[in-house]
Structures are given as C-alpha cells and as structure tokens.
Amino acid sequence: MSLFESPFFQDAYSQLESAGTKMNMDPNVLERLKYPKRALQVSVPVRLDDGTVKVFEGYRVQHNMTLGPGKGGIRFHPHVSLSETAALAMLMTFKCALVGLPLGGAKGGIKVDPNDLSRAELQAMTRRYTTEIAMIIGPDKDVPAPDIGTDGQTMAWLMDTYSQLNGYAVPGVVTGKPIAIGGSLGRAESTGKGVVFCINFAYEKLNKKITNSTTVAIHGFGKVGVPAAEDLDAQGAKIVAISDVSGAIYNPKGLNIKECVSWVKERKLLRELPGVEHITNEQLLELDVDILIPAAIDGVVTKENAHKVKAKIIAEGANGPLTHEAVDIITDRGGLIIPDILCNAGGVIVSYFEWVQGMQMFFWDLETVNTKLHDIMKLSFEKVWVCKEKYKVNMKQAAFIASLDRLQGAMRLRGMWPG
Ligand code: GLU
C-alpha cells in the first residue's frame, strides 16, 4: 500500500486541506505538511517458539520535526501499514503543536496481532524492531511511546535495547516507561484523565454540570477508557455502557465501574461478564447518551452510521475514531465533538513531562504532574474554543487551525533548506 492510499491518510489529508483553506494558510507551508519528512520501512525477523522464523513488517514515520524531536507511539496491530502510520504521525504533529509542546510528530508500528505471540516472541520482535529503527530514534531525534498493543513493558525492552547498542542507559529514548526505570507518575492514566478534563471544560462552556443523571457510553475499555470511566464515575456520572473487542455491556441504571475494572484487569473479556445486558459495539455507539467516548480505534463512526449516533458530546479518546464526513454530519445536527488532537493529548503531554524529568534527572510528584496536565489542557481547550468562534467552524477544524497557526509561524521562521 502506498503512503497516501489508506482511507485514514486521506481523511487526515482532507482535514488538513480544509483547515488550511479556512485559515488562508501559506500554500507553501501547506504543501510541505501534506508529506511526511521521513518514512522507514523495516523487516523484523523473529524466531518463534517452534523454531521457525517469521518476518513482520515494521515502520517508523516522522512527519514533521520543526518544533523539536519526533514524538509518537508504537502500535502493534494487524491493521498497521505505512499509510496508516503516516496518517497517525501527521496527527501527532498537529497534536504536539496544538498543546504547545516543543516536539514534532512521528509514529511507528508493526503489523502483528500481539495476542498471537508468546512473551519471549514479543520481546524478540520488539528488540529487533528497535535495532532496525535505532538509526532514526533517540532522545534528541525521535522519542517513541506506547500506543495500541504496546505498554510499559514494551517501552522497557525498547529502552534496554537502545541502551545496549549505546553501552549506557538512555532512558530518554522512550516515554511511557515503568516508574522503576524513569517513567513518570501519572503517565499511565494521563490520556483518560485529559479526556475527562476536556469533557469538564465543555460542560463549563455549556453551563452544565455532571450529575448522577449524566449518561456516558465508552467504546473501548482499555488504557484510555478505563481511567476516563474511573474519573467520570468519581464525579457521579452514570456510565451505562462500555465495550472491548468481544462486545459491549449495557445497564441503563449505570454499570458498577469498580467491578468492571477488576474484571478487565484479570484479562477477562466483557462478553463473559455475568449479570449485565450484552449489546454490540455498533449498538453502543448509537445509544442515546449525553457523552460518548470512542476510545478504541480509528474509523468507527463514518458517514454510514453517523446519522444514528445520538450522543450530545463526543469526546475522541482514540486517534481518528470519526471520519471527517461523520464529524460534519454530527456537528450539523448540533452535536459537540471534542477532537482527538485536543481530547487525547493528555498522553503525549505527560510523555513530554517524562522526557523533561528524565533529562533533568529530577522527578515530580503526582500532584505536580496532574496540575500541569490540567493547566495545559485548559489553555489548549480555550485556544480551540476561541478559534471555533473566530472562524465559525466546528471544534475539529478549530483544533487544526489553532495547531496549524503555531506550526506555520515556526516553519516560516526556520525557512526551508536549501532555500
Ligand atoms: N500514542 C499516544 C498518542 O497517540 C501517545 C504518544 C506519546 O506519548 O508520544 O498520542
């Protein structure tokens, strides 16, 4: 598949074009942002437990590094492709620029279902992938982090492999590390926490309060969905539906979130949870709720099902869960969308804190992390809201415009080499 072929890349590209046109962007800057700066494809041979060798496709794409080192996760998923990785790298550029980080946008991944591999195979694959991309990553070059299918353990193997190649510990090469090897307090729950901050800011703007009649549906009860559910539950909201790959569960009176969290922490599927009504993931997306959080994967709300989505507020916890046609359909009927590059930026913001703490060798307490996270999210939300009013556009376009404005300023100042 070529760089531009995937629907996801096309979607990111058309959002870039439409925001660029709305804000009357310098066409030369817009032209440069349509292409990733660098894309590396690697083969990752792994000796499986049965002695045979299997080769996996891996990628690392750096979209733009005007503002600083590349930043973005590594995804282990069967749908990973060069084009999807490029789209995600592009979104990282806009996300980091929007929330004011001194970082560019990158993304990596391996086309694999990590559930098919043993721990030893996963470790071997991660280490070989790291070796293959080592030439373009590093604390000053490009700093990976977890994404779908990867976690703190993956980052620990990546950091160790990179450190072995260098002969000394290089914690700054990745973020999302376990605390014991230089991770930041609060990183694990930061994306979900940021999603809930954004929901709270939106409620303030709408002069509404979260009460025990505020209904919430969460598509994807994982790294983002779980902490978001816990925070909303603590605020008294009624979480009526959650889902995982096996299906969704529903209780109009509100689910017992603590029970659900311990169920999934034991690696059990929601399909097997007794005493609740079981529905499909599609039905969950269409529930008549106050808040819908799509926190699983891209492209779950498209022009096919957008007219059936009834939620008043949609907080994009995942990257690209709504296509741009879906965004238009939902905003036209008055729905408020909190766009991914704002809504799920809590993860990369605390990744940035981890990188800074690592470089200073001075670690902050949880309260400092969460207060700083809150303040950056608040400032960024305000910036997007102001753009929405100024340009009379939806939140998605407003977020792109606010981000492109910062990027354009920096790219023009740095100029092009050779000019
Ligand atoms: N994978 C996350 C994202 O899409 C986090 C990236 C990071 O922390 O660098 O934002």
Side-chain angles (χ1 to χ4, degrees):
M1 187 187 279
S2 89
L3 194 56
F4 304 99
E5 246 165 61
S6 69
F8 196 9
F9 190 91
Q10 291 293 330
D11 206 73
Y13 189 95
S14 59
Q15 295 194 48
L16 165 65
E17 276 215 308
S18 101
T21 312
K22 282 249 155 55
M23 69 188 280
N24 214 359
M25 196 178 177
D26 178 341
N28 292 333
V29 175
L30 184 60
E31 169 73 4
R32 289 183 65 191
L33 287 171
K34 290 176 183 171
Y35 301 85
K37 173 185 174 64
R38 189 179 283 139
L40 179 63
Q41 176 169 353
V42 296
S43 299
V44 187
V46 180
R47 189 173 301 281
L48 302 179
D49 294 345
D50 67 4
T52 60
V53 172
K54 188 169 165 60
V55 178
F56 297 92
E57 272 172 47
Y59 304 95
R60 184 74 188 169
V61 178
Q62 296 165 342
H63 174 257
N64 182 284
M65 309 212 287
T66 300
L67 295 167
K71 190 81 196 81
I74 288 176
R75 180 173 289 199
F76 290 173
H77 192 274
H79 291 163
V80 165
S81 67
L82 173 61
S83 186
E84 188 205 71
T85 311
L88 289 161
M90 190 189 263
L91 289 182
M92 285 309 300
T93 299
F94 303 144
K95 193 185 299 185
C96 292
L98 174 66
V99 298
L101 306 182
L103 296 166
K107 201 81 174 196
I110 301 181
K111 185 177 165 61
V112 62
D113 185 345
N115 301 311
D116 292 345
L117 299 185
S118 68
R119 186 183 154 90
E121 292 166 339
L122 259 181
Q123 177 168 179
M125 184 182 72
T126 305
R127 288 187 182 277
R128 182 60 187 253
Y129 169 73
T130 307
T131 313
E132 296 298 339
I133 64 162
M135 64 185 85
I136 63 164
I137 60 168
D140 301 317
K141 295 191 200 170
D142 178 4
V143 185
D147 197 80
I148 295 171
T150 56
D151 58 15
Q153 178 60 76
T154 324
M155 295 306 114
W157 289 328
L158 210 152
M159 178 264 188
D160 184 68
T161 308
Y162 189 86
S163 301
Q164 298 298 342
L165 294 172
N166 281 273
Y168 54 93
V170 189
V173 67
V174 286
T175 59
K177 297 179 293 292
I179 309 289
I181 54 165
S184 174
L185 292 172
R187 173 62 184 87
E189 59 277 18
S190 55
T191 312
K193 201 167 258 317
V195 169
V196 177
F197 283 150
C198 283
I199 292 170
N200 290 151
F201 303 148
Y203 260 58
E204 270 169 41
K205 292 282 180 202
L206 303 172
N207 280 323
K208 285 167 73 166
K209 278 203 158 43
I210 304 256
T211 65
N212 57 10
S213 57
T214 307
T215 50
V216 185
I218 303 180
H219 180 255
F221 199 60
K223 279 185 289 200
V224 181
V226 167
E230 286 175 326
D231 282 6
L232 284 167
D233 188 46
Q235 290 183 25
K238 201 193 301 176
I239 297 156
V240 294
I242 58 171
S243 73
D244 65 11
V245 282
S246 73
I249 57 172
Y250 175 59
N251 183 347
K253 295 203 184 87
L255 294 162
N256 182 332
I257 289 303
K258 286 192 183 69
E259 247 173 55
C260 297
V261 171
S262 37
W263 185 265
V264 296
K265 283 210 168 128
E266 285 170 35
R267 301 191 146 264
K268 291 193 199 146
L269 294 172
L270 290 175
R271 187 182 49 208
E272 284 143 20
L273 186 72
V276 285
E277 187 181 334
H278 291 263
I279 58 173
T280 64
N281 271 283
E282 292 70 32
Q283 287 171 316
L284 178 147
L285 294 168
E286 295 164 14
L287 287 173
D288 191 0
V289 286
D290 295 307
I291 302 163
L292 170 67
I293 308 178
I297 198 149
D298 55 275
V300 294
V301 185
T302 64
K303 61 177 188 307
E304 314 306 333
N305 61 345
H307 55 279
K308 295 189 210 145
V309 171
K310 301 173 200 72
K312 296 177 190 69
I313 291 184
I314 299 171
E316 289 190 310
N319 289 312
L322 274 65
T323 64
H324 74 275
E325 288 117 337
V327 169
D328 290 344
I329 295 170
I330 290 167
T331 46
D332 282 353
R333 65 123 172 104
L336 180 74
I337 293 166
I338 310 174
D340 51 2
I341 59 169
L342 169 66
C343 194
N344 71 30
V348 75
I349 293 171
V350 180
S351 270
Y352 162 63
F353 296 163
E354 180 176 331
W355 182 65
V356 168
Q357 292 170 81
M359 283 194 297
Q360 297 179 335
M361 291 295 166
F362 180 74
F363 291 87
W364 311 343
D365 59 28
L366 184 59
E367 201 190 319
T368 306
V369 170
N370 285 339
T371 308
K372 286 186 193 296
L373 169 64
H374 173 273
D375 294 351
I376 293 180
M377 297 287 309
K378 172 96 186 156
L379 215 70
S380 309
F381 189 95
E382 286 299 329
K383 211 156 59 175
V384 175
W385 198 267
V386 168
C387 258
K388 170 171 109 69
E389 311 275 287
K390 178 173 165 194
Y391 290 92
K392 311 242 169 310
V393 291
N394 64 43
M395 287 284 278
K396 188 92 179 184
Q397 285 176 323
F400 267 69
I401 292 173
S403 161
L404 289 172
D405 190 46
R406 175 166 183 238
L407 259 177
Q408 164 163 270
M411 286 174 77
R412 278 172 136 175
L413 278 169
R414 283 190 56 173
M416 201 179 75
W417 191 89

